[in-house]
Amino acid sequence: MEIYDYISARITELRAGKAESIISSELGRGVTYLNQIITQKQRAPLDSISEICDYFGISLAEFFQTDADRKVLPEKVERIREEMKSMDPDDLENVIKLIAKLPKRKRPR
């Protein structure tokens, strides 16, 4: 899938039926702004994609996650987040260091 096809599909998924014109207006843009990006009549620069991510309350990393990651990671991340809420700051720092040291596995293509 080409990147602009992905961006178009992902924005469509995130807007979940909310009118493109309303989102565009809430972003402080012209009413056709989002439609132009979704229909690929306009290519969104990274700062625009970042602005769209902010609107939907997600990071750029979350925007570009694969379908498989979006299904599995949120549940696991939430479990980790809950456990970490009650941790001592020093223990939390040790967990971060441990995670950084773990071997990274390559994803199959």
Side-chain angles (χ1 to χ4, degrees):
M1 174 182 285
E2 184 189 336
I3 188 67
Y4 296 105
D5 293 335
Y6 177 85
I7 291 169
S8 174
R10 187 71 168 113
I11 292 171
T12 299
E13 175 187 353
L14 289 168
R15 72 182 186 87
K18 187 170 184 178
E20 295 165 0
S21 59
I22 292 172
I23 296 169
S24 296
S25 295
E26 290 175 347
L27 287 169
R29 306 291 185 127
V31 293
T32 62
Y33 171 71
L34 207 57
N35 179 267
Q36 295 289 313
I37 294 170
I38 290 171
T39 60
Q40 299 180 36
K41 293 178 184 167
Q42 176 181 328
R43 292 189 170 180
L46 192 56
D47 61 334
S48 292
I49 295 171
S50 179
E51 179 183 33
I52 292 167
C53 289
D54 289 344
Y55 176 86
F56 289 111
I58 63 171
S59 68
L60 277 169
E62 291 170 312
F63 183 87
F64 288 106
Q65 280 179 337
T66 64
D67 288 340
D69 287 342
R70 285 198 303 272
K71 291 176 184 170
V72 173
L73 285 180
E75 177 184 308
K76 292 184 182 211
V77 168
E78 188 56 36
R79 284 178 46 206
I80 293 167
R81 185 179 297 145
E82 286 302 314
E83 291 295 326
M84 294 170 71
K85 283 181 182 178
S86 61
M87 290 179 77
D88 175 274
D90 290 335
D91 290 340
L92 185 57
E93 189 59 37
N94 288 332
V95 169
I96 292 168
K97 289 176 185 176
L98 175 65
I99 292 170
K101 288 180 182 180
L102 291 172
K104 309 298 186 251
R105 69 179 174 97
K106 293 187 178 186
R107 295 176 188 262
R109 290 186 178 236

